[in-house]
Amino acid sequence: MSNNLLVIANETVEGAALVEAVRFRARSRDAAVLVVAPALNTRLRHFMSDSDGAHAAAEQRLEGCLARLAAAGVRADGYVGDADPLLAIEDALSTFPAEEIVVGTHPEERSNWLARDLVRRARVRFRMPVFHVVVDLAAHREYVAA
């Protein structure tokens, strides 16, 4: 049985709460970690097939997250994934057999992922534990939702 932990987050990869939650979960069971940062884009840019800026921004945030995880003693790898977080999770699970998924989101009032019920939909679709971490970088408030 694997001890793999899949992390799906974009802007929230910069939050200390996400890094700490992943550190605790990964180190307590010596888990391998894969961080997937969906390349979020505006509808207009997506329609125009202009995703370079979104990909570059996600890549930059991902590199910072991987460095923070390494500094916390967590072995992790990562890549920029599909803009749709459910598809990004599905793609990752096709090659990375995770036991648990960690989803990092903005607070409810600013989260498109929560507005689209991502956490519940991921739990139903992938039938594995989904751990939710809320990162509010603007207000410097971060917490574990469940």
Side-chain angles (χ1 to χ4, degrees):
M1 180 175 256
S2 69
N3 284 323
N4 296 337
L5 184 63
L6 174 61
V7 179
I8 184 90
N10 192 340
E11 293 168 340
T12 58
V13 297
E14 297 175 333
L18 184 70
V19 170
E20 278 304 303
V22 170
R23 183 192 65 78
F24 175 78
R25 298 182 100 66
R27 293 187 70 193
S28 67
R29 61 181 189 221
D30 193 32
V33 176
L34 178 65
V35 180
V36 177
L40 304 180
N41 209 354
T42 66
R43 289 182 189 197
L44 177 60
R45 289 189 182 276
H46 178 75
F47 179 72
M48 297 175 63
S49 298
D50 180 11
S51 62
D52 292 346
H55 192 278
E59 181 72 36
Q60 185 176 15
R61 286 189 292 269
L62 175 65
E63 288 175 10
C65 178
L66 294 175
R68 285 187 294 283
L69 286 170
V74 176
R75 68 177 193 261
D77 196 9
Y79 65 88
V80 175
D82 193 279
D84 179 327
L86 282 176
L87 288 177
I89 293 169
E90 185 176 301
D91 290 345
L93 291 175
S94 71
T95 60
F96 186 80
E99 288 183 324
E100 183 176 26
I101 301 168
V102 175
V103 176
T105 71
H106 291 294
E108 189 170 356
E109 64 274 7
R110 289 195 343 265
S111 175
N112 290 330
W113 287 5
L114 292 180
R116 293 177 16 214
D117 205 15
L118 174 64
V119 175
R120 185 196 61 78
R121 290 172 56 214
R123 287 178 176 141
V124 169
R125 183 169 179 174
F126 301 110
R127 301 199 181 275
M128 68 177 63
V130 176
F131 188 74
H132 180 206
V133 179
V134 176
V135 178
D136 189 347
L137 297 170
H140 303 291
R141 290 181 312 174
E142 304 176 31
Y143 58 92
V144 175

